[in-house]
Amino acid sequence: MEVRSIVLGPDEPYELRLTGRGARGYVWTWQVTGDTDVVTVAQAPKAPPVPGAAVPPPGAPVERIYVIRARPPGGGRARIRFAQVRPPYPDEAPYDEFVLDVEVVAVSGGT
């Protein structure tokens, strides 16, 4: 399991790229703990295929992009635990896990 720490300012986005194994039935899920109201997490829409680009073979790992955004006004810490699981088997251990520790810095009121 990889653990990464980042610092974001209010409304600042961060792109996280994780390898997906959807063809094998796995999906990435996430859970936010700590100051849960300081960040949002969303899966980025899939980009349209590039004309002339090679098509990955069936079952090949595919990169998934998640956008973590700090919510204004900032000030707090959250931990986001991503787990790669197979929904039909909720008692099965995750195939992979990734933890992102996020510190959101508050806006300073200087003039």
Side-chain angles (χ1 to χ4, degrees), residues 19-81:
T19 301
R21 290 175 177 80
R24 297 184 186 142
Y26 289 93
V27 297
W28 283 104
T29 61
W30 62 85
Q31 179 180 17
V32 181
T33 58
D35 298 322
T36 59
D37 59 341
V38 299
V39 294
T40 61
V41 181
Q43 185 171 349
K46 294 179 186 175
V50 177
V55 175
V62 177
E63 187 175 73
R64 298 286 181 226
I65 301 171
Y66 298 88
V67 178
I68 292 83
R69 184 174 298 275
R71 297 180 66 187
R77 294 178 183 270
R79 173 170 269 203
I80 307 167
R81 178 184 170 268

Side-chain angles (χ1 to χ4, degrees), residues 1 8 13 15 40 50 55 74-75 78 85 87 91 93 108:
M1 171 176 48
L8 298 175
E15 261 190 19
T40 61
V50 177
V55 175
V85 298
D91 296 330
S108 59

Side-chain angles (χ1 to χ4, degrees), residues 1-2 6 14 28 34 39 42 52 55 85 89 92 94-95 98 111:
M1 171 176 48
E2 183 179 345
I6 61 170
Y14 176 79
W28 283 104
V39 294
V55 175
V85 298
Y89 307 99
E92 188 176 81
Y95 179 83
F98 184 93
T111 52

